[in-house]
Amino acid sequence: MQRNYNHTTIVTIEKVIDETPTVRTLVFSDDVMPSVLPGQFAMVWIPGINELPMSVMISDESGKAAFTVRKHGVASTGLFNVKVGQQIGIRGPYGNSFDLKEGKLLLVGGGTGLVPMMRLLTHVKHTDDVTVLIGAKSKNEVFFEELANRLLTNNTHKVIVSTDDGSYGEKGFVTDLVEKHLNQTKYDAVYVCGPEIMMYKTVQSAHSRGVFVQASLERMMKCGVGICGSCCMGEDLVCKDGTVFDGEHLSQNKEFGNYHRNKAGILENY
């Protein structure tokens, strides 16, 4: 029987990887999630707690996928605390995906926004020259640096880390690195995912220079299928119209980078 993506499928967590003190990757077997496109997401149900949208992480093992979660709120902390052998529910995949360009590519990821960037790296061509910029608050919150280098073994590439406190890599915000690289190099495409202010600055930097840029947005989501409207950003529903939007579109959206909606749907300043 063909799987109905809107029905919850129960999967069992087979492995838990501690990426940092606050970030874990939970690995599971599934028929659908290993082959989702970069930018797509799943709705993840943590029994007894809540459901939340998650980008789907790649796995080294065939037939397996993962979720990389940072403990923060009630739902994300609930998922963070799921142990091997416990079950969660998944539905999807939902949303669109990045438009794949070729040539000199700049990928920018902050925190768990690195997840769709890692999946995007599995789609680059060996002829692409790829630079990955990783932003973190401090050294002990850096993850996926080794993985990014491994995925790009056959490419001309750089993986550069910046930390806010300068405890590892270059000191400062990753958006400072974005500005520096866009000043020095003509890129064919820029892709970004992470905190919205970081994405806003990256999109502005690239778009103002006429460089193709796309961002995968993260907003409050309840249904994931365009019904509840909790993820609306102006006229856009992030879950259904995105999560990936290009720079031209985002430059005309007055909410992007300026406002977000709380659980009640009320606009608040960033």
Side-chain angles (χ1 to χ4, degrees), residues 131-222:
T131 298
V132 180
L133 304 181
I134 295 175
K137 289 184 178 179
S138 61
K139 181 178 181 179
N140 65 358
E141 288 297 338
V142 175
F143 58 99
F144 291 167
E145 180 186 13
E146 180 183 343
L147 174 60
N149 275 304
R150 181 154 48 87
L151 292 171
L152 291 169
T153 298
N154 295 321
N155 289 77
T156 300
H157 75 277
K158 298 175 185 170
V159 178
I160 303 170
V161 176
S162 69
T163 51
D164 298 354
D165 64 1
S167 55
Y168 184 72
E170 299 201 22
K171 183 177 182 179
F173 297 124
V174 72
T175 47
D176 298 333
L177 279 181
V178 171
E179 194 74 12
K180 176 181 171 183
H181 280 259
L182 286 172
N183 282 335
Q184 295 175 344
T185 305
K186 174 64 176 174
Y187 288 96
D188 295 292
V190 176
Y191 303 98
V192 60
C193 186
E196 191 160 311
I197 298 298
M198 185 199 88
M199 291 193 286
Y200 175 77
K201 291 182 177 179
T202 299
V203 168
Q204 287 243 315
S205 295
H207 186 63
S208 65
R209 291 172 171 83
V211 179
F212 176 84
V213 57
Q214 287 187 320
S216 177
L217 271 55
E218 301 176 4
R219 285 262 168 157
M220 175 77 68
M221 288 184 193
K222 295 177 182 176

Side-chain angles (χ1 to χ4, degrees), residues 20-255:
T20 79
T22 63
V23 176
R24 284 179 177 164
T25 296
L26 287 66
V27 183
F28 58 94
S29 294
D30 187 58
D31 296 332
V32 173
M33 293 299 161
S35 57
V36 305
L37 297 172
Q40 290 188 301
F41 68 99
M43 294 300 293
V44 180
W45 173 57
I46 308 102
I49 299 180
N50 207 337
E51 191 180 41
L52 75 168
M54 295 292 300
S55 293
V56 185
M57 182 58 189
I58 57 173
S59 171
D60 291 335
E61 301 175 68
S62 177
K64 296 186 181 182
F67 296 117
T68 298
V69 60
R70 180 188 299 279
K71 60 178 179 179
H72 179 64
V74 174
S76 61
T77 300
L79 184 59
F80 179 89
N81 289 330
V82 171
K83 296 181 170 44
V84 171
Q86 288 188 286
Q87 293 182 318
I88 57 175
I90 56 174
R91 58 184 174 91
Y94 297 122
N96 61 2
S97 60
F98 289 108
D99 295 326
L100 304 176
K101 302 291 186 180
E102 298 180 24
K104 294 186 78 67
L105 308 178
L106 180 64
L107 278 62
V108 186
T112 54
L114 284 163
V115 170
M117 296 296 110
M118 295 302 104
R119 186 169 289 277
L120 184 56
L121 290 182
T122 66
H123 288 258
V124 301
K125 297 188 181 305
H126 290 164
T127 52
D128 292 333
D129 182 340
V130 185
T131 298
V132 180
L133 304 181
I134 295 175
K137 289 184 178 179
S138 61
K139 181 178 181 179
N140 65 358
E141 288 297 338
V142 175
F143 58 99
F144 291 167
E145 180 186 13
E146 180 183 343
L147 174 60
N149 275 304
R150 181 154 48 87
L151 292 171
L152 291 169
T153 298
N154 295 321
N155 289 77
T156 300
H157 75 277
K158 298 175 185 170
V159 178
I160 303 170
V161 176
S162 69
T163 51
D164 298 354
D165 64 1
S167 55
Y168 184 72
E170 299 201 22
K171 183 177 182 179
F173 297 124
V174 72
T175 47
D176 298 333
L177 279 181
V178 171
E179 194 74 12
K180 176 181 171 183
H181 280 259
L182 286 172
N183 282 335
Q184 295 175 344
T185 305
K186 174 64 176 174
Y187 288 96
D188 295 292
V190 176
Y191 303 98
V192 60
C193 186
E196 191 160 311
I197 298 298
M198 185 199 88
M199 291 193 286
Y200 175 77
K201 291 182 177 179
T202 299
V203 168
Q204 287 243 315
S205 295
H207 186 63
S208 65
R209 291 172 171 83
V211 179
F212 176 84
V213 57
Q214 287 187 320
S216 177
L217 271 55
E218 301 176 4
R219 285 262 168 157
M220 175 77 68
M221 288 184 193
K222 295 177 182 176
C223 71
V225 293
I227 296 174
C228 73
S230 61
C231 67
C232 71
M233 187 182 67
E235 298 295 320
D236 296 318
L237 291 172
V238 172
C239 71
K240 192 173 182 181
D241 301 321
T243 62
V244 177
F245 298 91
D246 65 35
E248 178 64 28
H249 187 86
L250 290 172
S251 67
Q252 299 172 37
N253 192 308
K254 294 180 180 178
E255 289 190 24

